[in-house]
Amino acid sequence: MAYVSIVSSEKGGQGKSSILLQMAGYAGKTKKVLCLELDIQKNLTLILQNTEPRYTIYDVLNSSVSTKEAIMPSVFKGIDYIPGSRKLKGMNVDTTRLTSILDEVQSEYDLIFIDCPANINSLVESAYTMADLVITPMEMELFALSNVTELIETVQSHNSRAEIVLVPNKVGGRSKLNRTVREHLDEMVKHYDNVKIGTELPSSIIISNLLSEGKLLINAMRFNPLKDKLKELYKELYK
Ligand SMILES: Nc1ncnc2c1ncn2[C@@H]1O[C@H](COP(=O)(O)OP(=O)(O)O)[C@@H](O)[C@H]1O
Ligand SMILES: [Mg+2]
């Protein structure tokens, strides 16, 4: 049975798609990985795609094609994916369909990653019910805490067994604001079961520079502090 990770936050630009890609790319070297995109912005799909996909998650959700027909090999080793679609916007989907999609493919993969949009809609809530792990990247900003509290409560109202890992991202070590938010975060997580803070990830522009060349930092040869922390996070989450 595949281990299901949902990457979700209530804000855009926190690093969801980036962290998902790095974790999936590292896993793909030794494991069978499936990525699924629920974000209509299709950032993940655009990076993973080899050729223009014929079918998307939209077609699978409205049962026009089978799940297996929509699965495509990605440009990265060991990673298959189900393409995202702009048509999900405003689509009234039978969200239980998402559950059966995962049921159909769970025996064929070791890890399944689901990339979510920043707005938590019924499809995302349906994904939560299937999660073994919810990864929530967050920048250490003033309003981060209230967003995260709300997300934890939403996840836990749908799934009490999922582990939630908050990942401080783009952290600048010397910033007083970062440290203050971190202290509040440490205090906040004590009030919840199954919630912990993962490895802090520093900011490094190399992550996006390499991606623009179709490369993943976590698999790159070069020395970089963010790369080391991404590996540390991977080991923490998946061993
Ligand atoms: N640790 C990091 N250091 C520097 N830039 C980062 C880091 N993590 C993400 N980014 C950049 O931040 C932007 C938003 O990240 P993205 O993964 O698209 O966020 P989301 O999926 O949450 O909207 C992207 O340009 C990405 O390259
Ligand atoms: Mg994204």
Side-chain angles (χ1 to χ4, degrees):
M1 282 287 272
Y3 184 78
V4 179
S5 305
I6 316 284
V7 188
S8 178
S9 71
E10 281 209 336
K11 237 180 134 190
Q14 305 292 292
K16 290 183 287 299
S17 306
S18 305
I19 292 171
L20 183 153
L21 264 169
Q22 304 291 332
M23 295 299 112
Y26 196 65
K29 298 208 290 186
T30 52
K31 294 177 162 58
K32 279 200 78 182
V33 178
L34 178 70
C35 294
L36 208 148
E37 171 151 42
L38 301 180
D39 192 348
I40 58 165
Q41 291 189 7
K42 301 201 302 182
N43 292 346
L44 185 74
T45 298
L46 292 172
I47 291 161
L48 293 176
Q49 78 182 24
N50 234 326
T51 52
E52 189 61 35
R54 179 138 177 240
Y55 302 118
T56 69
I57 183 74
Y58 174 83
D59 303 305
V60 188
L61 284 169
N62 71 18
S63 305
S64 326
V65 298
S66 71
T67 307
K68 284 180 188 149
E69 276 176 288
I71 293 178
M72 308 269 291
S74 79
V75 292
F76 299 111
K77 182 177 181 291
I79 306 182
D80 289 343
Y81 74 108
I82 300 181
S85 169
R86 294 199 185 278
K87 289 196 215 158
L88 281 186
K89 191 175 182 184
M91 181 200 183
N92 223 341
V93 287
D94 172 8
T95 53
T96 58
R97 221 5 233 143
L98 186 67
T99 320
S100 43
I101 291 172
L102 292 185
D103 281 342
E104 275 177 62
V105 293
Q106 275 220 324
S107 62
E108 302 196 12
Y109 291 92
D110 300 309
L111 293 175
I112 296 177
F113 289 91
I114 302 183
D115 196 15
C116 294
N119 66 316
I120 296 170
N121 54 30
S122 57
L123 206 50
V124 174
E125 289 178 348
S126 180
Y128 288 160
T129 66
M130 304 292 288
D132 293 303
L133 171 68
V134 177
I135 301 171
T136 299
M138 55 184 292
E139 289 183 43
M140 304 304 259
E141 292 168 344
L142 219 45
F143 299 112
L145 290 173
S146 61
N147 285 332
V148 167
T149 312
E150 213 173 302
L151 182 125
I152 292 170
E153 285 170 9
T154 309
V155 171
Q156 294 193 333
S157 71
H158 293 277
N159 182 339
S160 55
R161 111 199 125 81
E163 189 181 3
I164 302 174
V165 177
L166 311 175
V167 179
N169 191 22
K170 307 187 203 179
V171 176
R174 289 183 302 269
S175 148
K176 185 163 185 285
L177 177 62
N178 280 183
R179 284 203 310 276
T180 309
V181 175
R182 173 69 200 227
E183 281 162 18
H184 286 296
L185 194 63
D186 286 336
E187 205 41 52
M188 188 269 279
V189 296
K190 289 182 191 156
H191 300 288
Y192 296 98
D193 292 328
N194 298 345
V195 181
K196 63 178 194 186
I197 304 172
T199 305
E200 275 192 11
L201 303 177
S203 191
S204 173
I205 189 72
I206 292 177
I207 192 170
S208 35
N209 287 349
L210 281 177
L211 207 54
S212 69
E213 301 166 17
K215 294 183 195 136
L216 296 175
L217 175 60
I218 199 164
N219 292 337
M221 296 296 286
R222 73 175 76 201
F223 168 78
N224 175 270
L226 175 56
K227 172 184 150 178
D228 290 350
K229 289 295 176 183
L230 285 165
K231 282 193 180 168
E232 197 176 313
L233 178 67
Y234 181 89
K235 287 187 187 123
E236 190 178 12
L237 301 178
Y238 307 107
K239 279 195 282 295

Short mmCIF file of all heavy atoms in Angstrom, two decimals, residues 162-223:
data_model
loop_
_atom_site.label_atom_id
_atom_site.label_comp_id
_atom_site.label_asym_id
_atom_site.label_seq_id
_atom_site.Cartn_x
_atom_site.Cartn_y
_atom_site.Cartn_z
N ALA A 162 -3.95 11.20 10.52
CA ALA A 162 -2.85 11.73 9.70
C ALA A 162 -1.83 12.47 10.55
O ALA A 162 -2.19 13.17 11.50
CB ALA A 162 -3.40 12.69 8.65
N GLU A 163 -0.57 12.30 10.18
CA GLU A 163 0.47 13.07 10.84
C GLU A 163 0.61 14.39 10.08
O GLU A 163 0.58 14.41 8.86
CB GLU A 163 1.78 12.29 10.79
CG GLU A 163 2.83 12.93 11.64
CD GLU A 163 4.16 12.20 11.60
OE1 GLU A 163 4.29 11.20 10.86
OE2 GLU A 163 5.06 12.65 12.31
N ILE A 164 0.70 15.49 10.81
CA ILE A 164 0.85 16.79 10.16
C ILE A 164 2.25 17.33 10.47
O ILE A 164 2.63 17.42 11.64
CB ILE A 164 -0.21 17.80 10.66
CG1 ILE A 164 -1.62 17.25 10.39
CG2 ILE A 164 -0.03 19.18 9.99
CD1 ILE A 164 -2.76 18.09 10.97
N VAL A 165 3.00 17.62 9.42
CA VAL A 165 4.34 18.17 9.63
C VAL A 165 4.43 19.57 9.03
O VAL A 165 4.23 19.75 7.83
CB VAL A 165 5.43 17.24 9.03
CG1 VAL A 165 6.82 17.86 9.21
CG2 VAL A 165 5.39 15.87 9.70
N LEU A 166 4.66 20.55 9.89
CA LEU A 166 4.81 21.94 9.44
C LEU A 166 6.26 22.16 9.07
O LEU A 166 7.17 21.82 9.85
CB LEU A 166 4.41 22.89 10.58
CG LEU A 166 3.07 22.59 11.26
CD1 LEU A 166 2.86 23.53 12.46
CD2 LEU A 166 1.92 22.74 10.27
N VAL A 167 6.50 22.66 7.89
CA VAL A 167 7.88 22.84 7.43
C VAL A 167 8.19 24.32 7.22
O VAL A 167 7.75 24.93 6.25
CB VAL A 167 8.13 22.07 6.10
CG1 VAL A 167 9.56 22.28 5.63
CG2 VAL A 167 7.83 20.58 6.27
N PRO A 168 8.91 24.92 8.18
CA PRO A 168 9.30 26.32 8.01
C PRO A 168 10.18 26.44 6.75
O PRO A 168 11.19 25.74 6.64
CB PRO A 168 10.12 26.63 9.27
CG PRO A 168 9.67 25.60 10.27
CD PRO A 168 9.38 24.37 9.45
N ASN A 169 9.76 27.28 5.82
CA ASN A 169 10.48 27.37 4.55
C ASN A 169 10.99 28.79 4.31
O ASN A 169 10.44 29.74 4.84
CB ASN A 169 9.55 26.93 3.41
CG ASN A 169 10.30 26.75 2.09
OD1 ASN A 169 11.51 26.54 2.08
ND2 ASN A 169 9.58 26.83 0.98
N LYS A 170 12.03 28.88 3.51
CA LYS A 170 12.68 30.15 3.16
C LYS A 170 13.10 30.90 4.42
O LYS A 170 12.89 32.10 4.56
CB LYS A 170 11.74 31.03 2.32
CG LYS A 170 11.15 30.35 1.08
CD LYS A 170 10.39 31.33 0.23
CE LYS A 170 9.38 30.64 -0.66
NZ LYS A 170 8.61 31.56 -1.49
N VAL A 171 13.66 30.14 5.35
CA VAL A 171 14.03 30.73 6.64
C VAL A 171 15.38 31.43 6.52
O VAL A 171 16.35 30.86 6.02
CB VAL A 171 14.10 29.63 7.73
CG1 VAL A 171 14.58 30.22 9.05
CG2 VAL A 171 12.75 28.96 7.90
N GLY A 172 15.41 32.68 6.97
CA GLY A 172 16.67 33.42 7.04
C GLY A 172 17.11 33.40 8.49
O GLY A 172 16.44 33.99 9.33
N GLY A 173 18.19 32.71 8.78
CA GLY A 173 18.60 32.42 10.15
C GLY A 173 18.69 33.63 11.08
O GLY A 173 18.39 33.53 12.25
N ARG A 174 19.06 34.78 10.53
CA ARG A 174 19.32 35.92 11.41
C ARG A 174 18.08 36.77 11.67
O ARG A 174 18.12 37.69 12.45
CB ARG A 174 20.41 36.80 10.80
CG ARG A 174 21.78 36.16 10.86
CD ARG A 174 22.85 37.08 10.32
NE ARG A 174 22.55 37.46 8.94
CZ ARG A 174 22.99 36.82 7.87
NH1 ARG A 174 23.75 35.77 8.03
NH2 ARG A 174 22.68 37.22 6.66
N SER A 175 16.99 36.45 11.02
CA SER A 175 15.83 37.33 11.15
C SER A 175 15.14 37.17 12.51
O SER A 175 14.82 36.08 12.95
CB SER A 175 14.86 37.03 10.01
OG SER A 175 13.55 37.24 10.43
N LYS A 176 14.91 38.31 13.15
CA LYS A 176 14.26 38.29 14.47
C LYS A 176 12.81 37.82 14.32
O LYS A 176 12.29 37.08 15.14
CB LYS A 176 14.31 39.69 15.07
CG LYS A 176 13.77 39.77 16.48
CD LYS A 176 14.24 41.06 17.16
CE LYS A 176 13.80 41.09 18.61
NZ LYS A 176 12.37 41.38 18.75
N LEU A 177 12.17 38.25 13.22
CA LEU A 177 10.78 37.87 12.98
C LEU A 177 10.67 36.35 12.85
O LEU A 177 9.81 35.71 13.45
CB LEU A 177 10.24 38.55 11.72
CG LEU A 177 8.81 38.17 11.33
CD1 LEU A 177 7.82 38.55 12.42
CD2 LEU A 177 8.41 38.82 10.01
N ASN A 178 11.59 35.75 12.08
CA ASN A 178 11.61 34.29 11.93
C ASN A 178 11.69 33.62 13.29
O ASN A 178 10.98 32.66 13.57
CB ASN A 178 12.83 33.84 11.11
CG ASN A 178 12.65 33.99 9.60
OD1 ASN A 178 13.51 33.62 8.83
ND2 ASN A 178 11.54 34.55 9.17
N ARG A 179 12.56 34.14 14.14
CA ARG A 179 12.75 33.50 15.45
C ARG A 179 11.53 33.66 16.33
O ARG A 179 11.12 32.74 17.02
CB ARG A 179 13.99 34.07 16.16
CG ARG A 179 15.31 33.56 15.59
CD ARG A 179 16.43 33.69 16.63
NE ARG A 179 16.50 35.02 17.22
CZ ARG A 179 17.14 36.06 16.68
NH1 ARG A 179 17.77 35.92 15.53
NH2 ARG A 179 17.15 37.23 17.28
N THR A 180 10.91 34.84 16.27
CA THR A 180 9.72 35.08 17.09
C THR A 180 8.58 34.17 16.64
O THR A 180 7.91 33.54 17.47
CB THR A 180 9.27 36.56 16.95
OG1 THR A 180 10.41 37.37 17.20
CG2 THR A 180 8.17 36.90 17.93
N VAL A 181 8.36 34.08 15.34
CA VAL A 181 7.29 33.22 14.82
C VAL A 181 7.58 31.77 15.21
O VAL A 181 6.68 31.03 15.62
CB VAL A 181 7.13 33.36 13.28
CG1 VAL A 181 6.10 32.38 12.76
CG2 VAL A 181 6.73 34.78 12.91
N ARG A 182 8.84 31.37 15.12
CA ARG A 182 9.21 30.00 15.48
C ARG A 182 8.88 29.69 16.95
O ARG A 182 8.38 28.62 17.28
CB ARG A 182 10.71 29.80 15.20
CG ARG A 182 11.29 28.48 15.67
CD ARG A 182 10.74 27.32 14.85
NE ARG A 182 10.88 26.06 15.52
CZ ARG A 182 11.35 24.95 14.96
NH1 ARG A 182 11.74 24.94 13.71
NH2 ARG A 182 11.41 23.84 15.64
N GLU A 183 9.15 30.66 17.82
CA GLU A 183 8.84 30.44 19.24
C GLU A 183 7.34 30.24 19.45
O GLU A 183 6.91 29.37 20.18
CB GLU A 183 9.33 31.63 20.08
CG GLU A 183 10.83 31.58 20.34
CD GLU A 183 11.40 32.93 20.78
OE1 GLU A 183 10.62 33.80 21.21
OE2 GLU A 183 12.65 33.09 20.67
N HIS A 184 6.54 31.06 18.76
CA HIS A 184 5.08 30.92 18.87
C HIS A 184 4.62 29.58 18.30
O HIS A 184 3.71 28.94 18.83
CB HIS A 184 4.38 32.06 18.12
CG HIS A 184 4.47 33.37 18.84
ND1 HIS A 184 3.89 33.58 20.09
CD2 HIS A 184 5.05 34.54 18.52
CE1 HIS A 184 4.14 34.82 20.48
NE2 HIS A 184 4.85 35.43 19.55
N LEU A 185 5.27 29.18 17.22
CA LEU A 185 4.91 27.92 16.57
C LEU A 185 5.20 26.74 17.50
O LEU A 185 4.36 25.83 17.66
CB LEU A 185 5.73 27.79 15.28
CG LEU A 185 5.28 26.74 14.28
CD1 LEU A 185 3.89 27.05 13.76
CD2 LEU A 185 6.26 26.70 13.10
N ASP A 186 6.37 26.75 18.13
CA ASP A 186 6.74 25.69 19.07
C ASP A 186 5.69 25.56 20.17
O ASP A 186 5.30 24.46 20.57
CB ASP A 186 8.10 25.99 19.74
CG ASP A 186 9.27 25.79 18.79
OD1 ASP A 186 9.12 25.02 17.82
OD2 ASP A 186 10.33 26.42 19.00
N GLU A 187 5.22 26.71 20.63
CA GLU A 187 4.22 26.75 21.70
C GLU A 187 2.89 26.19 21.19
O GLU A 187 2.24 25.38 21.84
CB GLU A 187 4.07 28.22 22.14
CG GLU A 187 3.57 28.45 23.53
CD GLU A 187 4.17 27.50 24.56
OE1 GLU A 187 5.42 27.35 24.66
OE2 GLU A 187 3.34 26.90 25.27
N MET A 188 2.51 26.62 19.97
CA MET A 188 1.22 26.25 19.40
C MET A 188 1.08 24.74 19.16
O MET A 188 0.05 24.15 19.47
CB MET A 188 1.05 27.03 18.08
CG MET A 188 -0.30 26.94 17.43
SD MET A 188 -0.36 25.59 16.27
CE MET A 188 0.42 26.32 14.86
N VAL A 189 2.15 24.11 18.64
CA VAL A 189 2.01 22.69 18.30
C VAL A 189 1.82 21.80 19.54
O VAL A 189 1.29 20.70 19.43
CB VAL A 189 3.18 22.12 17.44
CG1 VAL A 189 3.25 22.79 16.09
CG2 VAL A 189 4.51 22.20 18.16
N LYS A 190 2.23 22.31 20.69
CA LYS A 190 2.05 21.53 21.93
C LYS A 190 0.57 21.23 22.20
O LYS A 190 0.24 20.30 22.91
CB LYS A 190 2.62 22.30 23.13
CG LYS A 190 4.12 22.38 23.14
CD LYS A 190 4.59 23.10 24.39
CE LYS A 190 6.07 23.43 24.30
NZ LYS A 190 6.43 24.57 25.16
N HIS A 191 -0.31 22.07 21.63
CA HIS A 191 -1.74 21.90 21.90
C HIS A 191 -2.39 20.84 21.02
O HIS A 191 -3.58 20.57 21.16
CB HIS A 191 -2.47 23.24 21.72
CG HIS A 191 -1.96 24.30 22.64
ND1 HIS A 191 -2.22 24.27 23.99
CD2 HIS A 191 -1.18 25.37 22.43
CE1 HIS A 191 -1.62 25.32 24.56
NE2 HIS A 191 -0.98 25.99 23.63
N TYR A 192 -1.65 20.28 20.08
CA TYR A 192 -2.25 19.32 19.15
C TYR A 192 -1.54 17.97 19.19
O TYR A 192 -0.32 17.90 19.35
CB TYR A 192 -2.17 19.85 17.71
CG TYR A 192 -2.96 21.11 17.49
CD1 TYR A 192 -2.33 22.35 17.52
CD2 TYR A 192 -4.33 21.06 17.25
CE1 TYR A 192 -3.05 23.52 17.30
CE2 TYR A 192 -5.06 22.21 17.03
CZ TYR A 192 -4.42 23.44 17.07
OH TYR A 192 -5.12 24.58 16.86
N ASP A 193 -2.31 16.91 18.99
CA ASP A 193 -1.71 15.60 18.79
C ASP A 193 -1.35 15.48 17.31
O ASP A 193 -2.00 16.09 16.46
CB ASP A 193 -2.74 14.49 19.12
CG ASP A 193 -3.05 14.47 20.60
OD1 ASP A 193 -2.14 14.79 21.40
OD2 ASP A 193 -4.21 14.15 20.94
N ASN A 194 -0.39 14.64 17.01
CA ASN A 194 -0.01 14.33 15.61
C ASN A 194 0.48 15.52 14.80
O ASN A 194 0.45 15.48 13.58
CB ASN A 194 -1.18 13.70 14.83
CG ASN A 194 -1.61 12.38 15.41
OD1 ASN A 194 -0.90 11.79 16.21
ND2 ASN A 194 -2.78 11.93 15.00
N VAL A 195 0.88 16.59 15.48
CA VAL A 195 1.43 17.72 14.73
C VAL A 195 2.86 17.96 15.18
O VAL A 195 3.13 18.02 16.38
CB VAL A 195 0.62 19.02 14.96
CG1 VAL A 195 1.21 20.18 14.14
CG2 VAL A 195 -0.85 18.81 14.58
N LYS A 196 3.79 18.06 14.22
CA LYS A 196 5.15 18.43 14.62
C LYS A 196 5.77 19.39 13.62
O LYS A 196 5.24 19.59 12.53
CB LYS A 196 6.00 17.20 14.86
CG LYS A 196 6.22 16.35 13.65
CD LYS A 196 7.14 15.20 14.03
CE LYS A 196 7.65 14.53 12.77
NZ LYS A 196 8.41 13.34 13.00
N ILE A 197 6.89 19.96 14.02
CA ILE A 197 7.60 20.88 13.14
C ILE A 197 8.75 20.11 12.51
O ILE A 197 9.53 19.46 13.20
CB ILE A 197 8.12 22.09 13.93
CG1 ILE A 197 6.95 22.76 14.65
CG2 ILE A 197 8.81 23.09 13.00
CD1 ILE A 197 7.35 23.86 15.61
N GLY A 198 8.82 20.18 11.18
CA GLY A 198 9.87 19.46 10.47
C GLY A 198 11.14 20.30 10.34
O GLY A 198 11.21 21.44 10.81
N THR A 199 12.11 19.72 9.67
CA THR A 199 13.38 20.41 9.40
C THR A 199 13.15 21.78 8.76
O THR A 199 12.40 21.88 7.79
CB THR A 199 14.23 19.55 8.42
OG1 THR A 199 14.37 18.25 8.98
CG2 THR A 199 15.59 20.15 8.18
N GLU A 200 13.78 22.78 9.31
CA GLU A 200 13.66 24.13 8.71
C GLU A 200 14.46 24.20 7.42
O GLU A 200 15.60 23.74 7.37
CB GLU A 200 14.26 25.17 9.67
CG GLU A 200 13.31 25.64 10.71
CD GLU A 200 13.84 26.88 11.47
OE1 GLU A 200 14.83 27.49 11.05
OE2 GLU A 200 13.22 27.21 12.50
N LEU A 201 13.86 24.80 6.40
CA LEU A 201 14.55 24.92 5.12
C LEU A 201 15.00 26.35 4.88
O LEU A 201 14.18 27.27 4.94
CB LEU A 201 13.63 24.47 3.98
CG LEU A 201 13.06 23.05 4.09
CD1 LEU A 201 12.10 22.78 2.93
CD2 LEU A 201 14.19 22.01 4.08
N PRO A 202 16.29 26.54 4.61
CA PRO A 202 16.76 27.90 4.35
C PRO A 202 16.33 28.35 2.95
O PRO A 202 15.86 27.55 2.15
CB PRO A 202 18.28 27.75 4.41
CG PRO A 202 18.56 26.32 4.07
CD PRO A 202 17.38 25.55 4.56
N SER A 203 16.50 29.62 2.70
CA SER A 203 16.17 30.17 1.40
C SER A 203 17.38 30.02 0.48
O SER A 203 18.50 30.25 0.90
CB SER A 203 15.84 31.65 1.60
OG SER A 203 15.28 32.15 0.44
N SER A 204 17.13 29.56 -0.72
CA SER A 204 18.21 29.51 -1.71
C SER A 204 17.62 29.55 -3.11
O SER A 204 16.84 28.67 -3.48
CB SER A 204 19.06 28.25 -1.52
OG SER A 204 19.98 28.14 -2.58
N ILE A 205 18.01 30.55 -3.85
CA ILE A 205 17.49 30.77 -5.20
C ILE A 205 17.85 29.61 -6.13
O ILE A 205 17.19 29.37 -7.15
CB ILE A 205 17.99 32.13 -5.76
CG1 ILE A 205 17.32 32.52 -7.08
CG2 ILE A 205 19.50 32.14 -5.92
CD1 ILE A 205 15.89 32.94 -6.92
N ILE A 206 18.86 28.83 -5.73
CA ILE A 206 19.31 27.71 -6.58
C ILE A 206 18.19 26.71 -6.84
O ILE A 206 18.13 26.09 -7.90
CB ILE A 206 20.54 27.02 -5.93
CG1 ILE A 206 21.70 28.00 -5.98
CG2 ILE A 206 20.92 25.74 -6.64
CD1 ILE A 206 22.94 27.52 -5.33
N ILE A 207 17.27 26.59 -5.88
CA ILE A 207 16.18 25.62 -6.06
C ILE A 207 15.38 25.94 -7.33
O ILE A 207 15.06 25.04 -8.11
CB ILE A 207 15.28 25.54 -4.80
CG1 ILE A 207 14.34 24.33 -4.87
CG2 ILE A 207 14.51 26.81 -4.54
CD1 ILE A 207 13.61 24.03 -3.57
N SER A 208 15.10 27.22 -7.56
CA SER A 208 14.34 27.56 -8.77
C SER A 208 15.22 27.67 -10.01
O SER A 208 14.79 27.34 -11.11
CB SER A 208 13.49 28.81 -8.57
OG SER A 208 14.11 29.74 -7.75
N ASN A 209 16.48 28.10 -9.81
CA ASN A 209 17.39 28.15 -10.97
C ASN A 209 17.58 26.77 -11.59
O ASN A 209 17.51 26.59 -12.80
CB ASN A 209 18.75 28.72 -10.56
CG ASN A 209 18.67 30.22 -10.32
OD1 ASN A 209 17.68 30.85 -10.66
ND2 ASN A 209 19.71 30.77 -9.73
N LEU A 210 17.82 25.77 -10.71
CA LEU A 210 18.04 24.41 -11.22
C LEU A 210 16.78 23.88 -11.89
O LEU A 210 16.83 23.21 -12.91
CB LEU A 210 18.47 23.47 -10.09
CG LEU A 210 19.93 23.55 -9.67
CD1 LEU A 210 20.18 22.62 -8.50
CD2 LEU A 210 20.86 23.17 -10.82
N LEU A 211 15.63 24.19 -11.26
CA LEU A 211 14.37 23.70 -11.81
C LEU A 211 14.12 24.24 -13.22
O LEU A 211 13.60 23.53 -14.08
CB LEU A 211 13.22 24.10 -10.88
CG LEU A 211 11.99 23.20 -10.91
CD1 LEU A 211 12.37 21.75 -10.65
CD2 LEU A 211 10.99 23.66 -9.87
N SER A 212 14.56 25.47 -13.45
CA SER A 212 14.39 26.04 -14.78
C SER A 212 15.25 25.29 -15.82
O SER A 212 15.00 25.35 -17.01
CB SER A 212 14.71 27.53 -14.78
OG SER A 212 16.09 27.71 -14.58
N GLU A 213 16.26 24.54 -15.31
CA GLU A 213 17.05 23.69 -16.22
C GLU A 213 16.54 22.25 -16.17
O GLU A 213 17.20 21.33 -16.65
CB GLU A 213 18.53 23.68 -15.80
CG GLU A 213 19.20 25.03 -15.78
CD GLU A 213 20.55 25.00 -15.04
OE1 GLU A 213 21.13 23.92 -14.82
OE2 GLU A 213 21.00 26.10 -14.66
N GLY A 214 15.40 22.04 -15.52
CA GLY A 214 14.84 20.69 -15.43
C GLY A 214 15.54 19.80 -14.42
O GLY A 214 15.47 18.58 -14.50
N LYS A 215 16.24 20.42 -13.45
CA LYS A 215 16.98 19.62 -12.46
C LYS A 215 16.46 19.85 -11.05
O LYS A 215 16.02 20.95 -10.71
CB LYS A 215 18.46 19.98 -12.49
CG LYS A 215 19.13 19.61 -13.79
CD LYS A 215 20.62 19.94 -13.71
CE LYS A 215 21.24 19.93 -15.09
NZ LYS A 215 22.13 21.07 -15.30
N LEU A 216 16.57 18.81 -10.23
CA LEU A 216 16.14 18.91 -8.84
C LEU A 216 17.34 19.13 -7.93
O LEU A 216 18.32 18.38 -8.01
CB LEU A 216 15.42 17.63 -8.43
CG LEU A 216 14.12 17.35 -9.18
CD1 LEU A 216 13.56 15.99 -8.79
CD2 LEU A 216 13.10 18.46 -8.90
N LEU A 217 17.25 20.13 -7.08
CA LEU A 217 18.35 20.44 -6.17
C LEU A 217 18.74 19.23 -5.33
O LEU A 217 19.92 18.95 -5.14
CB LEU A 217 17.95 21.62 -5.26
CG LEU A 217 18.95 21.99 -4.17
CD1 LEU A 217 20.30 22.40 -4.74
CD2 LEU A 217 18.40 23.12 -3.30
N ILE A 218 17.74 18.50 -4.86
CA ILE A 218 18.04 17.37 -3.95
C ILE A 218 18.90 16.30 -4.62
O ILE A 218 19.64 15.59 -3.96
CB ILE A 218 16.73 16.79 -3.37
CG1 ILE A 218 17.02 15.98 -2.10
CG2 ILE A 218 15.94 16.00 -4.41
CD1 ILE A 218 15.82 15.67 -1.24
N ASN A 219 18.82 16.20 -5.93
CA ASN A 219 19.63 15.21 -6.66
C ASN A 219 20.85 15.82 -7.34
O ASN A 219 21.55 15.14 -8.08
CB ASN A 219 18.77 14.50 -7.71
CG ASN A 219 17.70 13.62 -7.08
OD1 ASN A 219 17.85 13.20 -5.94
ND2 ASN A 219 16.64 13.36 -7.80
N ALA A 220 21.08 17.12 -7.07
CA ALA A 220 22.22 17.77 -7.74
C ALA A 220 23.53 17.44 -7.04
O ALA A 220 23.55 17.11 -5.86
CB ALA A 220 22.00 19.28 -7.74
N MET A 221 24.63 17.53 -7.77
CA MET A 221 25.94 17.20 -7.21
C MET A 221 26.44 18.31 -6.29
O MET A 221 27.15 18.06 -5.34
CB MET A 221 26.97 17.04 -8.35
CG MET A 221 26.68 15.89 -9.29
SD MET A 221 26.79 14.32 -8.43
CE MET A 221 28.57 14.16 -8.25
N ARG A 222 26.06 19.53 -6.62
CA ARG A 222 26.70 20.66 -5.95
C ARG A 222 26.40 20.75 -4.45
O ARG A 222 25.38 20.28 -3.98
CB ARG A 222 26.29 21.97 -6.63
CG ARG A 222 24.85 22.36 -6.32
CD ARG A 222 24.55 23.71 -6.92
NE ARG A 222 24.36 23.64 -8.36
CZ ARG A 222 24.48 24.68 -9.16
NH1 ARG A 222 24.83 25.84 -8.68
NH2 ARG A 222 24.25 24.58 -10.45
N PHE A 223 27.32 21.38 -3.73
CA PHE A 223 27.09 21.60 -2.31
C PHE A 223 26.13 22.77 -2.14
O PHE A 223 26.24 23.79 -2.79
CB PHE A 223 28.40 21.92 -1.57
CG PHE A 223 28.14 22.43 -0.18
CD1 PHE A 223 27.81 21.53 0.83
CD2 PHE A 223 28.12 23.79 0.09
CE1 PHE A 223 27.50 22.00 2.11
CE2 PHE A 223 27.81 24.26 1.36
CZ PHE A 223 27.51 23.36 2.36
#
